């Protein structure tokens, strides 16, 4: 099974399955001298599971990161870093039925064909949202690197189902409100309506999806490559590596199709001796390179495919038609859990491009220690 690695200079390889012994990540290319402790991972791991358990799966993992390599005396050595968490809350018997009855909307059937039935089907195996924990682990390290250069990445929910928030708050307030809402929506009035929509879908055995927005501040101008290694192209590829993502847009995105050029173009001005643009319809990326404006992107998260409502499927052993009502512990909406994952993937991709451009050195200077 290939396709488990991402990045060039700052590269990550994830490993593990939903119901295997553990999930984790191998990070190669991290600069030497970055302060890193196991407890640095805990906040991000905890953010993955909202405290309000009625809107998420009953499978609540008490994740604790274990650093296996690449760190000595509390700092990275420049060698590959391996970090993992154990899978403890597994109930594999819940998935006995899907071995023969693939879930509509899930990878069960495609994976069965691709790997000749040898794939680990428990919980979706390698295709489970559980394996995104590895991305969060990598994101912790990436965000620590970005913070040394005052680059800040923030993801949050803007819509759940048909409920959408258009309220624009400041960066600091957005982060504060985001972390206090179960749905990770900074518009707290809208967040309550989102809670209700998720619970309503759950009560009828269904699920809902949504949209996550991610903003990056203080990205230097000119980072990225043209054409097929474009910054937005690599971000999109990385984000599609999150299995529930079905769409990615930057800036005005698909709305640009309805604009005139004079409306879509971001006019340049000089502000405090710096070139900026009046608008940011490009989402902070022009020609595959960062423009110096905030990088703004949105991802579409599909509704959870594992639902208890009866649906049509096939019985693979007999190649006959059948029905399936999925049992077990499943999220009625995976958007809240995906928010820190989107944030992590963006951070990892930005660090990779910053290292390609030589903006982040291979060995960190001691004088930056206070920026930890």
């Amino acid at each position: 099974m290939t396709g488990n690695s991402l990045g060039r200079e700052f590269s990550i390889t994830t490993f593990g399955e939903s119901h295997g012994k553990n999930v984790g990540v191998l990070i190669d290319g991290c600069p030497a001298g970055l302060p890193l402790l196991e407890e640095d991972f805990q906040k991000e791991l905890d953010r993955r599971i909202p405290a309000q358990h009625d809107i998420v799966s009953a499978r609540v993992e008490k994740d604790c990161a274990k650093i296996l390599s690449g760190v000595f005396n509390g700092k990275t050595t420049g060698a590959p870093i391996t970090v993992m968490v154990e899978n403890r809350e597994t109930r594999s018997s819940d998935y006995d039925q899907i071995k023969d009855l693939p879930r509509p909307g899930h990878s069960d059937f495609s994976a069965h064909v691709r790997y000749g039935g040898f794939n680990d089907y428990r919980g979706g195996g390698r295709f489970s949202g559980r394996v995104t924990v590895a991305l969060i682990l990598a994101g912790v390290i990436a965000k620590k690197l970005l913070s040394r250069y005052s680059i800040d990445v923030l993801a949050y929910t803007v819509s759940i189902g048909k409920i959408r928030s258009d309220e624009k708050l400041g960066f600091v307030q957005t982060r504060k409100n985001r972390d206090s809402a179960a749905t990770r929506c900074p518009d707290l009035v809208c967040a309550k309506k989102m809670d209700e929509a998720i619970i309503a879908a759950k009560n009828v055995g269904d699920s809902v999806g949504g949209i996550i927005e991610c903003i990056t501040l203080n990205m230097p101008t000119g980072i990225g490559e043209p054409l097929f290694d474009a910054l937005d192209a690599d971000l999109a590829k990385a984000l599609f590596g999150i299995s529930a993502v079905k769409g990615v847009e930057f800036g005005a995105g698909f709305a640009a199709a309805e604009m005139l050029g004079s409306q879509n173009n971001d006019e340049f001005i000089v502000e405090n001796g710096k070139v900026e643009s009046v608008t940011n319809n490009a989402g902070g990326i022009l020609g595959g390179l960062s423009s110096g404006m905030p990088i703004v992107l949105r991802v579409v998260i599909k509704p959870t495919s594992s639902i208890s409502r009866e649906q049509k499927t096939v019985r693979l052993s007999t190649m006959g038609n059948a029905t399936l009502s999925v049992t077990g512990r499943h999220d009625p909406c995976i958007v809240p859990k995906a928010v820190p994952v989107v944030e992590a993937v963006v951070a990892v991709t930005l660090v990779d491009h910053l290292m390609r451009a030589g903006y982040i050195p291979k060995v960190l200077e001691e004088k930056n220690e206070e920026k930890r």
Side-chain angles (χ1 to χ4, degrees):
M1 182 181 288
T2 60
N4 301 298
S5 301
L6 176 71
R8 290 188 182 180
E9 294 295 314
F10 184 84
S11 66
I12 68 171
T13 299
T14 68
F15 60 85
E17 296 83 35
S18 179
H19 286 222
K21 291 184 178 180
N22 52 57
V23 294
V25 64
L26 173 68
I27 302 163
D28 200 4
C30 180
L34 179 71
L36 187 64
L37 302 172
E38 288 182 344
E39 49 262 41
D40 293 338
F41 297 91
Q42 199 59 52
K43 182 179 178 181
E44 291 300 298
L45 289 172
D46 292 343
R47 275 186 57 217
R48 181 175 171 269
I49 309 294
Q52 297 86 337
H53 294 163
D54 54 344
I55 71 164
V56 295
S57 165
R59 179 183 179 181
V60 179
E61 296 274 8
K62 303 297 183 182
D63 289 328
C64 294
K66 300 292 184 184
I67 299 175
L68 305 183
S69 68
V71 178
F72 181 64
N73 289 333
K75 293 185 180 180
T76 57
T77 64
I81 301 169
T82 308
V83 191
M84 53 80 68
V85 300
E86 293 182 10
N87 289 328
R88 300 171 181 171
E89 278 288 323
T90 58
R91 193 183 294 167
S92 300
S93 59
D94 288 345
Y95 295 90
D96 288 344
Q97 60 179 340
I98 69 169
K99 180 179 181 180
D100 200 36
L101 300 170
R103 290 167 290 180
H106 211 286
S107 61
D108 298 335
F109 173 66
S110 300
H112 176 83
V113 173
R114 174 66 176 83
Y115 300 105
F118 290 104
N119 58 295
D120 186 347
Y121 60 84
R122 300 169 301 169
R126 190 72 181 128
F127 299 90
S128 169
R130 173 66 181 160
V131 303
T132 61
V133 171
L135 299 174
I136 291 178
L137 297 174
V140 168
I141 297 174
K143 285 191 285 186
K144 284 175 71 71
L145 285 167
L146 293 176
S147 69
R148 298 171 72 90
Y149 304 93
S150 300
I151 301 171
D152 210 342
V153 182
L154 178 64
Y156 47 89
T157 301
V158 292
S159 78
I160 295 290
K162 295 182 179 180
I163 300 172
R164 185 181 181 106
S165 171
D166 293 315
E167 183 175 353
K168 300 299 180 183
L169 303 172
F171 199 84
V172 174
Q173 191 64 44
T174 295
R175 171 169 279 142
K176 179 180 178 181
N177 287 11
R178 186 269 318 262
D179 289 339
S180 67
T183 53
R184 308 308 187 209
C185 175
D187 181 346
L188 298 182
V189 174
C190 203
K192 291 182 180 179
K193 296 179 181 178
M194 292 178 178
D195 289 346
E196 294 169 358
I198 295 173
I199 294 171
K202 178 181 179 181
N203 288 340
V204 295
D206 222 321
S207 61
V208 288
I211 297 175
I212 296 170
E213 184 169 82
C214 186
I215 297 178
T216 301
L217 298 184
N218 304 320
M219 187 69 176
T221 305
I223 302 298
E225 304 291 344
L227 301 175
F228 305 114
D229 287 333
L231 182 58
D232 46 357
D234 277 355
L235 282 167
K237 177 183 178 179
L239 288 163
F240 274 115
I242 304 170
S243 57
V245 170
K246 300 303 290 184
V248 179
E249 67 175 7
F250 294 84
F254 285 96
E258 300 178 2
M259 296 180 179
L260 296 172
S262 57
Q263 297 171 316
N264 184 60
N265 292 343
D266 297 316
E267 296 180 293
F268 292 112
I269 58 170
V270 174
E271 189 75 28
N272 298 322
K274 180 182 177 182
V275 176
E276 296 183 353
S277 58
V278 179
T279 55
N280 192 22
N281 291 318
I285 300 176
L286 291 167
L289 310 176
S290 56
S291 69
M293 294 295 287
I295 295 177
V296 181
L297 60 86
R298 285 170 292 279
V299 298
V300 175
I301 305 293
K302 71 175 184 176
T304 315
S305 53
S306 295
I307 58 176
S308 59
R309 291 189 64 170
E310 188 175 276
Q311 294 184 287
K312 294 179 181 178
T313 186
V314 295
R315 189 172 298 279
L316 297 174
S317 59
T318 63
M319 289 303 289
N321 293 323
T323 59
L324 173 67
S325 177
V326 180
T327 59
R329 302 170 295 174
H330 303 285
D331 296 280
C333 179
I334 55 178
V335 174
K337 285 185 177 180
V339 168
V341 182
V342 167
E343 200 172 274
V345 166
V346 170
V348 166
T349 306
L350 295 182
V351 167
D352 183 41
H353 271 273
L354 286 163
M355 292 191 71
R356 292 193 215 179
Y359 192 86
I360 297 178
K362 298 289 187 180
V363 179
L364 301 177
E365 297 180 9
E366 195 70 27
K367 66 180 181 179
N368 286 332
E369 183 75 14
E370 69 275 5
K371 293 186 178 181
R372 177 181 171 183

